[in-house]
Amino acid sequence: MQISRAKSKKSNPNLLSLSSVKMRNVRVSSKKSSLLTRTLYIILLFAISIFFFLLYSKDVLEDEQNPLFYNDFQSNSNPHHQSEQIRSPVHFVDEQLRASTFSRDLRPCVKPTARYKVAQESNRYLTVKSNGGLNQMRTGIADMVAVARLMNATLVIPNLDKRSFWQDSSVFGDIFDELYFMRSLRQDVRIVKELPKQLESAPRARKHFGSWSGMSYYENMTHLWREYQVIHVAKSDSRLANNDLPLDIQRLRCRALYHALHFSPPIEHLGKAHYGACFKLGSDFMAVTPQRLVERLRSRGGQYIALHLRYEKDMLAFTGCTYGLSDAESEELRIMRENTHHWKIKKINSTEQRNAGLCPLTPREVGIFIKALGYPLSTLIYIAAGEIYGGAERLSELTLRFPNVIFKETLATQDELGAFSHHATQAAAIDYIISVESDVFISSHSGNMARAVEGHRRFLEHRKTITPDRKGLIEVFDKLDSGQLQEGPYVSNIVKKMHRNRQGAPRKRSGPPPGIKGRARFRFEESFYQNPYPECICKS
């Protein structure tokens, strides 16, 4: 039987050949199947990798209009167990300082619309007392230019506040370029240095215009012209609404503040060259050329941070913030608050203020914050501030982390600063100029200076302005103090995430928080001068 099969195979070679072909086909088919499986597996891995990359990148690419509030301190509180790598500080600071603007094809946009008419002669006059410090007066003056336009009045050069904390005796011409102010706005509002002689003794309406008032309010106020030729405005700050005003009025406010209200030549010359000759309404172009103090800063480090360290006696007394102070210092501040008549709130719970994020960051806290953002020890920091409460000892809590700290008093000569001695408002103007020109601006408290500088930097290509989330940072600082956290990559990661969308990128001005109704909502809207977008900033 076996011999018979063998003979059969030998007698039929085609049968053997067919069997071999079938076996080879099976092996080829098996190889193709294996190759297809491996290909599908690689494609699947690649797809999963892309998915996780996009999932991770989503947070990085979030728009600033959707702020991130990162408060998860419990999920991985052990700083020795970290899964995310942190970039080296030197690499981070290079990126941060080089990418110092967020223009996104946006530019200053203050040209009047086609409907705007040249100002007419008016024999009605508006006299003004500008109250507050430098930036409160500046924004108030810009408001009064717009109010004069709305009420068809001639604006008399405002009188400046001499009763503020600094009791500065400066007049308008000491701080601002008076003639340039008058000339540059001549098509918008008629401005004169003083009342005509025949009206000096004339009766006038003395008026406290309502805060954050709109068009209809000022249209109604024109009834005063029936009885008076002069209206005196006792306060200039926050007299205009932030929103819902005609586009031409909003742009007039920007022209008044950013173009017409130059600092006086001595201040501009010491800080930087003035930019009036470079401003053209037709092209909406403004250029600045650094000079003197800004140039000296750049010669030392090329790039610098301007830090508005609002750890000053008046601010601490006003806010009632005594964290980290001695009993004697706390009592000194309490007495100052009690004796300042126009400060309405006398009794303040310091702990509640701090927990709510209403206190200026201390020099130590600022040092921790800037270090956590990734800036290295060598970073050049210009301190835009008056005298720090507690002096050099308190300031050392910052300089231990960042020794390359400089004030205008060490940047300028005594002769250069001599003209500004005993004139705190003029000195503040120098700080303002250097802050606007800086590569990065950081403020330890959201006061008038911080808001004004932020708005000006937004107007000029959205220059990088980091706004500390003080309420969120207090949680970090408290955990550092209690030993639950340690300074290092983990804390740095928390702080960076917390401030990813707080660096001055373009966004429209925000309205009041939800739930606030009636006129009270106007107080809580974002200031027009803190963010003049979209009225004064357009796409190229």
Side-chain angles (χ1 to χ4, degrees):
M1 198 71 174
Q2 290 175 350
I3 295 172
S4 175
R5 285 198 192 97
K7 286 182 177 180
S8 174
K9 285 181 181 179
K10 286 180 180 179
S11 65
N12 192 359
N14 291 334
L15 185 64
L16 180 61
S17 175
L18 182 62
S19 176
S20 299
V21 168
K22 283 183 179 180
M23 290 180 67
R24 282 199 300 270
N25 285 343
V26 168
R27 284 197 296 270
V28 169
S29 176
S30 176
K31 286 181 180 178
K32 286 184 178 179
S33 176
S34 176
L35 180 62
L36 180 62
T37 301
R38 285 199 299 271
T39 302
L40 290 174
Y41 181 73
I42 291 170
I43 291 172
L44 181 61
L45 283 178
F46 181 76
I48 293 172
S49 300
I50 290 293
F51 172 78
F52 280 108
F53 173 79
L54 292 175
L55 187 66
Y56 173 78
S57 299
K58 184 186 72 169
D59 287 337
V60 175
L61 299 174
E62 268 189 282
D63 191 89
E64 186 172 340
Q65 295 181 30
N66 300 301
L68 172 69
F69 296 97
Y70 184 86
N71 293 309
D72 183 12
F73 300 108
Q74 303 299 328
S75 59
N76 186 13
S77 59
N78 188 345
H80 301 292
H81 293 82
Q82 303 154 23
S83 59
E84 185 175 354
Q85 289 189 352
I86 309 299
R87 288 175 293 178
S88 67
V90 174
H91 181 63
F92 186 77
V93 72
D94 284 345
E95 281 188 5
Q96 290 289 76
L97 289 174
R98 285 174 186 166
S100 58
T101 62
F102 300 90
S103 60
R104 295 183 187 175
D105 298 322
L106 299 173
R107 59 178 175 81
C109 183
V110 296
K111 184 179 178 181
T113 67
R115 298 185 300 273
Y116 194 74
K117 296 180 180 179
V118 175
Q120 303 296 314
E121 280 286 324
S122 174
N123 61 354
R124 299 159 175 170
Y125 293 85
L126 209 62
T127 62
V128 176
K129 182 178 180 182
S130 292
N131 60 300
L134 172 69
N135 291 289
Q136 199 170 346
M137 290 191 291
R138 289 178 67 250
T139 55
I141 291 167
D143 274 359
M144 287 299 105
V145 168
V147 168
R149 171 82 188 192
L150 289 172
M151 297 186 69
N152 190 27
T154 295
L155 178 65
V156 180
I157 289 289
N159 290 317
L160 304 187
D161 191 347
K162 296 178 176 58
R163 298 175 58 190
S164 65
F165 171 76
W166 298 282
Q167 297 185 344
D168 193 332
S169 61
S170 301
V171 297
F172 190 96
D174 294 328
I175 301 174
F176 306 110
D177 189 334
E178 192 171 78
L179 290 178
Y180 186 81
F181 178 68
M182 296 167 66
R183 283 199 299 263
S184 61
L185 292 170
R186 62 183 178 275
Q187 292 187 319
D188 302 293
V189 177
R190 182 170 175 251
I191 304 174
V192 296
K193 287 189 176 183
E194 53 190 19
L195 278 174
K197 294 289 184 183
Q198 67 271 21
L199 292 177
E200 286 180 355
S201 58
R204 63 189 68 182
R206 299 185 181 274
K207 190 68 182 172
H208 277 269
F209 286 145
S211 300
W212 301 288
S213 297
M215 278 285 293
S216 59
Y217 175 87
Y218 285 105
E219 287 172 352
N220 183 54
M221 284 296 106
T222 57
H223 78 274
L224 295 170
W225 296 132
R226 299 172 194 164
E227 298 182 42
Y228 301 96
Q229 202 172 342
V230 181
I231 297 175
H232 177 69
V233 183
K235 278 189 172 185
S236 64
D237 66 319
S238 305
R239 299 304 106 184
L240 267 179
N242 294 304
N243 303 303
D244 302 323
L245 289 172
L247 178 61
D248 275 321
I249 294 299
Q250 298 287 59
R251 288 188 175 179
L252 173 57
R253 296 167 86 178
C254 289
R255 290 199 297 278
L257 187 64
Y258 302 128
H259 169 49
L261 207 55
H262 277 185
F263 291 117
S264 64
I267 294 173
E268 288 279 356
H269 184 61
L270 182 59
K272 63 174 178 57
H274 70 78
Y275 40 77
C278 301
F279 188 96
K280 299 177 183 178
L281 288 179
S283 62
D284 293 316
F285 171 79
M286 179 181 284
V288 292
T289 306
Q291 189 183 3
R292 285 290 185 93
L293 300 189
V294 172
E295 277 188 349
R296 289 176 198 173
L297 275 167
R298 298 239 180 263
S299 69
R300 295 192 180 202
Q303 299 163 316
Y304 69 94
I305 293 174
L307 170 62
H308 185 45
L309 187 58
R310 198 64 171 94
Y311 202 76
E312 298 157 316
K313 186 176 182 180
D314 67 310
M315 177 53 69
L316 294 174
F318 176 73
T319 57
C321 296
T322 59
Y323 173 78
L325 300 181
S326 66
D327 291 341
E329 288 172 325
S330 301
E331 180 63 12
E332 181 183 29
L333 296 179
R334 186 194 65 78
I335 292 172
M336 181 180 178
R337 186 168 65 253
E338 287 284 342
N339 294 336
T340 305
H341 299 296
H342 59 277
W343 291 351
K344 296 179 180 179
I345 302 175
K346 303 300 180 182
K347 294 184 179 181
I348 301 176
N349 186 308
S350 178
T351 301
E352 291 179 359
Q353 286 284 95
R354 182 171 180 270
N355 290 340
L358 301 176
C359 290
L361 298 181
T362 69
R364 171 180 173 269
E365 291 169 344
V366 170
I368 294 172
F369 172 61
I370 297 177
K371 184 178 178 181
L373 287 175
Y375 292 98
L377 186 76
S378 59
T379 303
L380 179 61
I381 299 178
Y382 175 82
I383 304 292
E387 184 178 352
I388 303 303
Y389 192 60
E393 184 179 350
R394 189 68 39 71
L395 186 64
S396 67
E397 298 172 351
L398 168 63
T399 56
L400 283 172
R401 290 175 171 82
F402 293 95
N404 204 5
V405 164
I406 193 165
F407 290 80
K408 58 182 169 292
E409 289 80 7
T410 53
L411 191 61
T413 66
Q414 290 185 353
D415 289 341
E416 287 172 329
L417 291 177
F420 310 111
S421 61
H422 308 299
H423 295 286
T425 306
Q426 296 180 48
I430 296 172
D431 283 339
Y432 181 90
I433 289 171
I434 296 173
S435 296
V436 169
E437 289 299 307
S438 65
D439 298 282
V440 177
F441 175 72
I442 300 173
S443 179
S444 66
H445 191 263
S446 56
N448 292 312
M449 167 86 164
R451 290 193 292 269
V453 171
E454 179 182 351
H456 202 156
R457 290 172 66 83
R458 286 184 177 277
F459 183 73
L460 298 172
E461 297 184 318
H462 285 86
R463 297 174 180 178
K464 181 168 287 188
T465 304
I466 303 176
T467 307
D469 178 359
R470 293 190 303 278
K471 187 174 181 179
L473 285 171
I474 292 304
E475 296 184 48
V476 177
F477 298 145
D478 286 347
K479 288 181 182 291
L480 286 169
D481 292 341
S482 66
Q484 297 178 61
L485 289 175
Q486 296 178 11
E487 286 188 65
Y490 180 68
V491 168
S492 180
N493 190 35
I494 292 173
V495 172
K496 287 176 187 177
K497 284 186 176 181
M498 191 185 295
H499 293 86
R500 182 177 295 149
N501 300 306
R502 300 175 69 93
Q503 301 194 31
R507 60 171 175 77
K508 291 184 178 180
R509 192 168 55 257
S510 59
I516 301 178
K517 299 180 180 179
R519 284 196 60 82
R521 73 185 186 277
F522 299 133
R523 180 181 178 184
F524 295 97
E525 290 177 337
E526 185 177 16
S527 166
F528 173 79
Y529 297 111
Q530 184 176 0
N531 185 9
Y533 183 48
E535 297 93 338
C536 298
I537 300 171
C538 305
K539 288 193 174 182
S540 298

